Amino acid sequence: MLQATQVSIRRSGHILAKDFRPISLTSFLMKTLDRMIDIHIRENTEKQHLSNAQLAYRKGRSTETALHEVVCHIEKSLHFNQYTMATFLGAFNNVNAKSILSSLNSIGIEGDIRAWIGVMLTSRTITAELSGT
Protein backbone atom coordinates (compact mmCIF):
# COMPACT_ATOMS: atom_id res chain seq x y z
CA MET A 1 0.00 0.00 0.00
CA LEU A 2 2.79 2.42 0.88
CA GLN A 3 4.61 1.78 -2.40
CA ALA A 4 1.48 2.55 -4.43
CA THR A 5 1.06 5.81 -2.51
CA GLN A 6 4.68 6.77 -3.17
CA VAL A 7 4.30 6.05 -6.89
CA SER A 8 1.14 8.18 -7.19
CA ILE A 9 2.82 11.01 -5.28
CA ARG A 10 5.81 10.94 -7.64
CA ARG A 11 3.56 10.93 -10.71
CA SER A 12 1.61 13.96 -9.46
CA GLY A 13 4.81 15.95 -8.94
CA HIS A 14 4.20 16.37 -5.21
CA ILE A 15 7.29 15.34 -3.30
CA LEU A 16 7.85 17.86 -0.50
CA ALA A 17 5.76 17.91 2.66
CA LYS A 18 4.74 21.53 1.95
CA ASP A 19 3.04 20.32 -1.27
CA PHE A 20 0.23 18.78 0.77
CA ARG A 21 -2.58 20.62 2.56
CA PRO A 22 -3.36 18.85 5.83
CA ILE A 23 -6.80 18.57 7.33
CA SER A 24 -6.68 20.41 10.62
CA LEU A 25 -8.69 18.87 13.42
CA THR A 26 -8.98 21.40 16.23
CA SER A 27 -10.92 21.25 19.44
CA PHE A 28 -14.32 22.88 19.80
CA LEU A 29 -12.72 25.40 22.21
CA MET A 30 -10.24 26.46 19.53
CA LYS A 31 -13.01 26.69 16.93
CA THR A 32 -15.10 28.80 19.32
CA LEU A 33 -12.22 31.17 20.04
CA ASP A 34 -11.43 31.38 16.33
CA ARG A 35 -15.06 32.26 15.56
CA MET A 36 -15.21 34.89 18.32
CA ILE A 37 -12.08 36.59 16.99
CA ASP A 38 -13.43 36.39 13.44
CA ILE A 39 -16.64 38.15 14.53
CA HIS A 40 -14.62 40.79 16.41
CA ILE A 41 -12.44 41.51 13.37
CA ARG A 42 -15.44 41.67 11.04
CA GLU A 43 -17.26 44.11 13.32
CA ASN A 44 -14.20 46.35 13.61
CA THR A 45 -13.15 46.31 9.96
CA GLU A 46 -16.66 47.17 8.77
CA LYS A 47 -16.02 50.65 10.16
CA GLN A 48 -12.64 50.97 8.44
CA HIS A 49 -12.11 52.26 4.93
CA LEU A 50 -11.55 49.23 2.74
CA SER A 51 -10.85 49.12 -0.98
CA ASN A 52 -13.80 48.27 -3.23
CA ALA A 53 -11.72 45.34 -4.44
CA GLN A 54 -11.60 43.96 -0.89
CA LEU A 55 -14.05 41.07 -0.57
CA ALA A 56 -13.10 39.50 2.77
CA TYR A 57 -14.64 41.01 5.89
CA ARG A 58 -17.26 42.95 3.90
CA LYS A 59 -20.97 42.28 4.32
CA GLY A 60 -22.59 40.90 1.19
CA ARG A 61 -19.26 40.04 -0.45
CA SER A 62 -17.53 36.69 -0.74
CA THR A 63 -15.64 34.41 -3.08
CA GLU A 64 -18.92 34.05 -4.97
CA THR A 65 -18.88 37.83 -5.51
CA ALA A 66 -15.38 37.56 -6.99
CA LEU A 67 -16.42 34.71 -9.28
CA HIS A 68 -19.51 36.63 -10.37
CA GLU A 69 -17.39 39.66 -11.26
CA VAL A 70 -14.98 37.51 -13.30
CA VAL A 71 -17.81 35.77 -15.17
CA CYS A 72 -19.52 39.11 -15.91
CA HIS A 73 -16.28 40.51 -17.29
CA ILE A 74 -15.77 37.44 -19.50
CA GLU A 75 -19.36 37.54 -20.74
CA LYS A 76 -19.06 41.24 -21.56
CA SER A 77 -15.85 40.57 -23.51
CA LEU A 78 -17.50 37.75 -25.42
CA HIS A 79 -20.49 39.96 -26.24
CA PHE A 80 -18.19 42.59 -27.77
CA ASN A 81 -15.99 39.97 -29.50
CA GLN A 82 -13.03 40.83 -27.24
CA TYR A 83 -10.52 38.78 -25.30
CA THR A 84 -10.15 38.44 -21.56
CA MET A 85 -6.93 37.48 -19.83
CA ALA A 86 -6.85 36.54 -16.15
CA THR A 87 -4.24 35.50 -13.62
CA PHE A 88 -5.20 33.47 -10.57
CA LEU A 89 -2.76 33.46 -7.68
CA GLY A 90 -2.62 31.23 -4.62
CA ALA A 91 -1.81 34.18 -2.40
CA PHE A 92 -2.76 32.69 0.95
CA ASN A 93 -0.32 29.82 0.57
CA ASN A 94 2.60 32.22 0.21
CA VAL A 95 1.76 35.32 2.23
CA ASN A 96 4.23 36.30 4.94
CA ALA A 97 2.86 36.23 8.50
CA LYS A 98 4.56 39.57 9.23
CA SER A 99 2.59 41.15 6.37
CA ILE A 100 -0.68 39.88 7.81
CA LEU A 101 0.17 41.17 11.27
CA SER A 102 1.23 44.53 9.85
CA SER A 103 -2.08 44.80 7.98
CA LEU A 104 -4.02 43.91 11.13
CA ASN A 105 -2.12 46.65 12.97
CA SER A 106 -2.86 49.21 10.25
CA ILE A 107 -6.61 48.61 10.53
CA GLY A 108 -6.54 48.90 14.31
CA ILE A 109 -6.83 45.31 15.50
CA GLU A 110 -5.71 45.09 19.14
CA GLY A 111 -2.26 43.82 20.11
CA ASP A 112 -3.51 40.77 22.02
CA ILE A 113 -5.50 39.57 19.02
CA ARG A 114 -2.58 40.25 16.65
CA ALA A 115 -0.29 38.30 18.98
CA TRP A 116 -2.71 35.32 19.07
CA ILE A 117 -2.99 35.33 15.27
CA GLY A 118 0.81 35.56 15.02
CA VAL A 119 1.19 32.48 17.20
CA MET A 120 -1.44 30.61 15.18
CA LEU A 121 0.37 31.47 11.93
CA THR A 122 3.92 30.72 13.01
CA SER A 123 4.08 28.43 16.04
CA ARG A 124 1.72 25.56 15.33
CA THR A 125 2.99 22.07 14.65
CA ILE A 126 1.55 19.40 12.42
CA THR A 127 1.62 15.69 13.10
CA ALA A 128 1.12 13.45 10.07
CA GLU A 129 0.32 9.78 9.95
CA LEU A 130 0.28 7.31 7.07
CA SER A 131 -0.59 3.64 7.57
CA GLY A 132 0.07 3.84 11.31
CA THR A 133 3.46 5.52 10.91
Side-chain angles (χ1 to χ4, degrees):
M1 181 90 174
L2 184 57
Q3 289 177 338
T5 304
Q6 289 173 339
V7 170
S8 65
I9 290 171
R10 287 191 188 114
R11 285 184 187 152
S12 68
H14 299 290
I15 297 169
L16 302 175
K18 70 176 192 159
D19 294 335
F20 298 91
R21 300 185 91 172
I23 296 172
S24 179
L25 302 175
T26 57
S27 70
F28 76 93
L29 289 174
M30 180 62 76
K31 290 178 185 179
T32 302
L33 181 58
D34 181 46
R35 182 70 180 135
M36 289 171 59
I37 289 174
D38 179 61
I39 291 168
H40 177 77
I41 291 173
R42 287 178 189 272
E43 288 175 355
N44 286 303
T45 56
E46 286 293 324
K47 299 169 188 158
Q48 302 292 326
H49 174 71
L50 298 175
S51 165
N52 285 333
Q54 174 78 28
L55 298 178
Y57 296 106
R58 309 265 323 256
K59 280 190 176 176
R61 295 187 178 199
S62 65
T63 53
E64 288 182 18
T65 307
L67 290 171
H68 176 72
E69 289 176 7
V70 169
V71 169
C72 285
H73 187 80
I74 292 169
E75 288 176 343
K76 182 179 177 183
S77 295
L78 289 171
H79 179 75
F80 290 105
N81 221 17
Q82 297 173 335
Y83 295 99
T84 298
M85 184 169 69
T87 302
F88 300 92
L89 304 172
F92 293 107
N93 293 340
N94 301 308
V95 71
N96 184 308
K98 288 181 182 179
S99 297
I100 294 172
L101 297 173
S102 175
S103 294
L104 290 172
N105 186 45
S106 71
I107 62 172
I109 301 302
E110 297 88 347
D112 290 342
I113 293 176
R114 286 193 320 270
W116 182 80
I117 292 171
V119 168
M120 296 304 289
L121 291 173
T122 61
S123 300
R124 292 170 47 175
T125 59
I126 296 173
T127 304
E129 183 177 320
L130 177 63
S131 300
T133 303

